[in-house]
C-alpha cells in the first residue's frame, strides 16, 4: 500500500521597526506689554473755619477800634471846642449883662452847669439792645481730583503655530524563510523521520 507523506514549513518574515520620534516641540509664548498705573483718590478735606466778629457788641460796651475811637474823639473835640466857645461867649455876655444885678450870678451859673451834667450822667445804657456778634462758619469741603489710573495690556503673539521637528517611524519587513510543502510516497508505512 502506498502512503502519501507531507511535510511543510510556514513562511517566516522578519520585521525591522523604527519608532517615530518627536525631536523638538516648542511653543513661543505670547508677550504681554502694557502699563499698570494704580488709581489714587488725590482728595483731601479742608478744615472747617469759624469767624466771630464781636466788634458791634464790644462797641456797645464802649470798646472801639483805634480808627473809630480817633474819628469819634476828633468829632467830639471839634464839637466840644465849638460848644465851649459858645458857652464861654454866652457866659461872658451873661457876666456883662447880669454883673450889675442883685444875686450871685456866678454861683447860680455854676449850679446850673453841675445839675445839667448830673442829669445827663443818670442815663443808663440798655444792654438788652446790644447787637449780637456776627458769626460765620465755613464748612469743610472735599477737594482734589481723583486719578482713575490706567491699566492697559497689549498681547503680542510671535507665532500662531508650534515649532515641531518630527522623525517618522518605519517598519521594514523581509521574508526570512520562504517555507515549503513537500509530498512523497512510501510503501507500507509513513516516513516519520523524513
Amino acid at each position: 500500500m502506498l502512503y502519501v507523506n507531507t511535510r511543510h514549513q510556514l513562511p517566516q518574515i522578519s520585521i525591522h521597526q523604527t519608532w517615530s520620534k518627536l525631536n523638538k516641540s516648542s511653543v513661543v509664548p505670547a508677550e504681554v506689554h502694557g502699563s499698570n498705573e494704580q488709581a489714587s483718590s488725590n482728595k483731601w478735606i479742608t478744615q472747617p473755619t469759624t469767624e466771630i466778629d464781636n466788634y458791634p457788641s464790644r462797641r456797645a460796651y464802649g470798646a472801639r477800634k483805634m480808627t473809630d475811637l480817633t474819628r469819634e474823639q476828633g468829632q467830639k473835640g471839634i464839637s466840644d471846642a465849638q460848644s465851649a466857645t459858645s458857652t464861654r461867649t454866652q457866659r461872658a455876655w451873661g457876666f456883662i449883662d447880669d454883673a450889675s444885678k442883685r444875686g450871685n450870678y456866678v454861683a447860680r451859673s455854676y449850679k446850673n452847669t453841675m445839675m445839667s451834667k448830673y442829669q445827663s450822667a443818670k442815663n443808663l445804657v440798655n444792654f438788652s439792645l446790644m447787637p449780637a456778634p456776627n458769626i460765620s462758619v465755613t464748612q469743610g469741603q472735599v477737594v482734589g481730583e481723583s486719578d482713575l489710573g490706567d491699566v492697559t495690556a497689549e498681547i503680542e503673539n510671535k507665532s500662531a503655530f508650534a515649532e515641531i521637528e518630527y522623525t517618522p517611524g518605519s517598519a521594514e519587513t523581509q521574508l526570512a524563510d520562504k517555507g515549503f510543502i513537500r509530498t512523497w510516497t512510501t510503501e507500507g508505512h509513513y516516513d516519520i523521520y523524513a
Side-chain angles (χ1 to χ4, degrees):
M1 176 181 231
L2 285 176
Y3 291 93
V4 177
N5 295 293
T6 304
R7 182 168 182 179
H8 70 88
Q9 181 177 331
L10 295 173
Q12 295 179 359
I13 60 171
S14 67
I15 300 174
H16 178 67
Q17 182 176 359
T18 303
W19 294 99
S20 59
K21 186 166 60 172
L22 189 63
N23 299 327
K24 177 181 176 183
S25 174
S26 64
V27 176
V28 178
E31 294 181 3
V32 179
H33 306 285
S35 64
N36 185 1
E37 182 183 340
Q38 296 297 318
S40 59
S41 69
N42 291 338
K43 292 198 172 194
W44 64 92
I45 299 175
T46 60
Q47 293 295 321
T49 58
T50 302
E51 294 181 5
I52 301 174
D53 182 13
N54 59 359
Y55 181 64
S57 304
R58 290 186 295 118
R59 185 173 181 186
Y61 279 111
R64 293 172 179 81
K65 292 181 183 176
M66 186 56 72
T67 55
D68 290 346
L69 181 63
T70 53
R71 182 174 58 247
E72 290 174 8
Q73 292 300 320
Q75 291 172 354
K76 185 176 185 258
I78 292 171
S79 66
D80 285 352
Q82 291 172 347
S83 173
T85 304
S86 173
T87 303
R88 300 280 183 218
T89 304
Q90 289 176 1
R91 287 176 75 189
W93 280 110
F95 283 134
I96 294 169
D97 291 340
D98 295 335
S100 60
K101 296 181 182 175
R102 280 183 147 184
N104 192 347
Y105 173 74
V106 176
R108 224 178 358 177
S109 172
Y110 182 73
K111 182 179 176 185
N112 290 338
T113 303
M114 291 301 291
M115 286 303 287
S116 67
K117 286 184 179 180
Y118 172 73
Q119 288 176 350
S120 65
K122 290 193 304 182
N123 296 333
L124 297 176
V125 177
N126 187 356
F127 290 109
S128 63
L129 299 177
M130 292 178 64
N134 297 324
I135 300 174
S136 62
V137 177
T138 303
Q139 296 178 350
Q141 296 178 348
V142 178
V143 294
E145 292 292 327
S146 293
D147 183 3
L148 300 179
D150 182 23
V151 178
T152 58
E154 295 178 1
I155 300 173
E156 180 183 356
N157 193 2
K158 297 277 186 179
S159 174
F161 303 99
E163 293 182 14
I164 297 173
E165 289 182 8
Y166 173 74
T167 303
S170 63
E172 296 177 3
T173 59
Q174 294 178 349
L175 186 60
D177 193 354
K178 294 181 180 181
F180 60 88
I181 296 176
R182 291 190 194 133
T183 59
W184 70 96
T185 59
T186 58
E187 254 186 70
H189 64 81
Y190 285 108
D191 187 5
I192 60 171
Y193 295 108

